[in-house]
Amino acid sequence: MSRRTRSEQAIARPGWLQALATALGTLVAMAVVAALGLWAAGATDLPDNAFPRVVAATVVTAVGGSLELSGDAGELAETRAGLTVVPLSVTLVGALSLAAGFLRPLRHRAVVGGGELAGWVGRIAVLWLLALTALALAARQTFAVSLGEGALADLGEVFDVAPRVGFTTDVPLSVFSGLLWLGAVLVVAVLVSGEPPLPARLLRLRESVRPAVYAMVVLLLVYVALGVVIALVVAVTRGPATETLAVILLGMPNLVWLTFTIGLGATWNGRVQGPFGLPMPHVLDEVLRTGDVSALNLGTLSRYDGRVWWLVAVDAVLLSAAAYVMAVRSPAGTRVWRHAVRMAAALALTVLMICLTGRVSAHYGLSLLVFGDLGGGLSGELFLDPEIWPALGLAVLWGLATGLLGGLMARWTRR
């Protein structure tokens, strides 16, 4: 058999080994970030060697997996528990790792056919499916809940109350959500990247939507970078460093993208009760820790800290810059009103993604059937939900305004 030439080697199709490296590399990167974040949050102190399974559950929820909580407290008591949150720092690291692994074998290709591209995606999807299924099956654990000391502990002994709470994953739903997440990341990766050369139909699609998608991805990453810088400054000047590290590694996008939507004028409704709380900034926790559901927006936050109005200025500057980047990357003959419409559509979809993934819901309760709910830190509630339609309307208005401004700036720059 003749030796292959360099050009033949350059167009060799990526195989199963490269697909395995991409799928496993993505999960390993997510697991490392999740483990470090949970370590900083103190999860290594969990009993029964539960830390690895908590890490597995964190990775599963980061790709949209469903976590189911259950409780058992004996015949004369009942427990109620629930948790819905996406650790977006882990999600973001996984998305970047997956995109890099997916695009790397295709960077130097002269052309990529539709069948070849589908085969490469299919190999990654199969291995991702197997690895994610194994991870979801491993993400299950049960913990004993201490009643503490004093009268509450005495009641527990009298009524033979030994509360336990555990978690499992809905494996079919988690795997399905993980596959959807995989497909979404790969689509965005192809749209954002200038490589590889695609079939004619896909190439035309990418050329039309790539500038807007690229601008939104850069915008979100810039917000995360700003959040990390601010968090590090706070950790150095005020501390504590470990809690700040936990926020960075687990939920930094959750916080900065939330503040991004608030700067646009959006409203989130929520409540904090009991031992739960929002880690940073502290003003969010103050607004939500009331007896009733509270609105989280520029008006309510400004009552506690007037500096919140700077969010509007930051949004205006960064959105105008993103619109300019989008316009510069668009064909030179594109009309200004098209820039405005595309920016509005892209920003609305981005805000919708933030609203859907940024929701938080957590509750836990223990009650004796003869006494009702017990306090002492054994019950709590935290939820945060956006008002989606007003947020999308504001995103459209901001997109039209900044898209128009970006298009005018790009036209002036070209001249």
Side-chain angles (χ1 to χ4, degrees):
M1 183 174 60
S2 61
R3 195 186 322 179
R4 293 187 302 174
T5 64
R6 289 186 179 181
S7 60
E8 290 172 335
Q9 292 174 1
I11 63 173
R13 297 184 178 185
W16 286 99
L17 186 60
Q18 291 169 304
L20 179 63
T22 299
L24 291 185
T26 299
L27 287 177
V28 168
M30 298 175 73
V32 169
V33 173
L36 291 174
L38 291 169
W39 165 80
T44 52
D45 297 331
L46 292 173
D48 302 327
N49 194 28
F51 183 71
R53 287 177 282 277
V54 173
V55 172
T58 303
V59 174
V60 172
T61 56
V63 296
S66 176
L67 197 65
E68 298 179 348
L69 299 186
S70 60
D72 181 20
E75 296 181 356
L76 294 178
E78 66 175 357
T79 58
R80 305 174 304 280
L83 177 65
T84 302
V85 63
V86 180
L88 289 178
S89 291
V90 181
T91 305
L92 181 60
V93 169
L96 295 176
S97 301
L98 177 61
F102 172 72
L103 294 173
R104 183 177 179 82
L106 307 176
R107 287 186 304 171
H108 303 298
R109 302 299 304 274
V111 66
V112 177
E116 181 183 350
L117 187 62
W120 175 224
V121 172
R123 284 188 285 273
I124 294 177
V126 169
L127 296 172
W128 174 262
L129 172 66
L130 296 175
L132 188 60
T133 301
L135 200 65
L137 291 173
R140 55 190 64 221
Q141 181 69 37
T142 302
F143 306 97
V145 179
S146 174
L147 294 177
E149 300 178 355
L152 191 59
D154 296 337
L155 285 174
E157 292 181 1
V158 171
F159 292 99
D160 191 25
V161 174
R164 299 183 66 84
V165 63
F167 66 85
T168 58
T169 54
D170 186 335
V171 177
L173 180 59
S174 297
V175 171
F176 177 72
S177 299
L179 286 176
L180 290 181
W181 178 85
L182 176 78
V185 171
L186 296 183
V187 168
V188 172
V190 170
L191 293 178
V192 171
S193 174
E195 301 173 346
L198 300 176
R201 293 181 180 178
L202 294 179
L203 189 59
R204 287 194 296 268
L205 174 63
R206 185 174 67 181
E207 289 176 348
S208 62
V209 302
R210 183 193 176 201
V213 176
Y214 179 89
M216 291 299 101
V217 170
V218 171
L219 176 70
L220 294 178
L221 293 178
V222 167
Y223 268 97
V224 173
L226 287 175
V228 171
V229 171
I230 294 173
L232 292 176
V233 171
V234 171
V236 171
T237 58
R238 301 178 185 177
T242 54
E243 292 183 7
T244 303
L245 181 62
V247 172
I248 292 174
L249 294 173
L250 294 176
M252 180 54 68
N254 299 70
L255 291 173
V256 295
W257 294 346
L258 166 68
T259 56
F260 164 58
T261 61
I262 291 176
L264 297 178
T267 296
W268 294 65
N269 297 313
R271 182 185 181 189
V272 176
Q273 184 183 34
F276 296 115
L278 295 173
M280 60 177 292
H282 185 62
V283 64
L284 300 182
D285 190 81
E286 291 182 349
V287 173
L288 296 177
R289 195 173 290 279
T290 60
D292 201 356
V293 177
S294 300
L296 195 66
N297 53 39
L298 289 170
T300 57
L301 289 172
S302 64
R303 299 171 191 169
Y304 293 84
D305 191 342
R307 293 173 298 179
V308 71
W309 291 104
W310 280 103
L311 294 177
V312 180
V314 172
D315 279 4
V317 171
L318 293 183
L319 283 174
S320 298
Y324 173 75
V325 169
M326 182 197 70
V328 167
R329 288 177 168 267
S330 300
T334 304
R335 296 184 178 180
V336 174
W337 69 267
R338 289 186 179 273
H339 292 310
V341 171
R342 290 174 181 175
M343 184 67 183
L347 186 57
L349 291 175
T350 301
V351 169
L352 177 62
M353 181 275 295
I354 295 173
C355 290
L356 294 179
T357 59
R359 293 175 170 178
V360 179
S361 175
H363 67 272
Y364 176 75
L366 170 66
S367 61
L368 287 174
L369 301 185
V370 292
F371 289 102
D373 291 337
L374 298 177
L378 292 179
S379 63
E381 180 184 25
L382 164 65
F383 74 89
L384 191 61
D385 289 316
E387 296 182 4
I388 295 182
W389 290 111
L392 295 182
L394 290 166
V396 170
L397 294 177
W398 275 86
L400 290 173
T402 56
L404 182 64
L405 178 61
L408 293 174
M409 288 190 300
R411 176 179 293 183
W412 178 80
T413 301
R414 287 194 175 104
R415 288 179 180 177

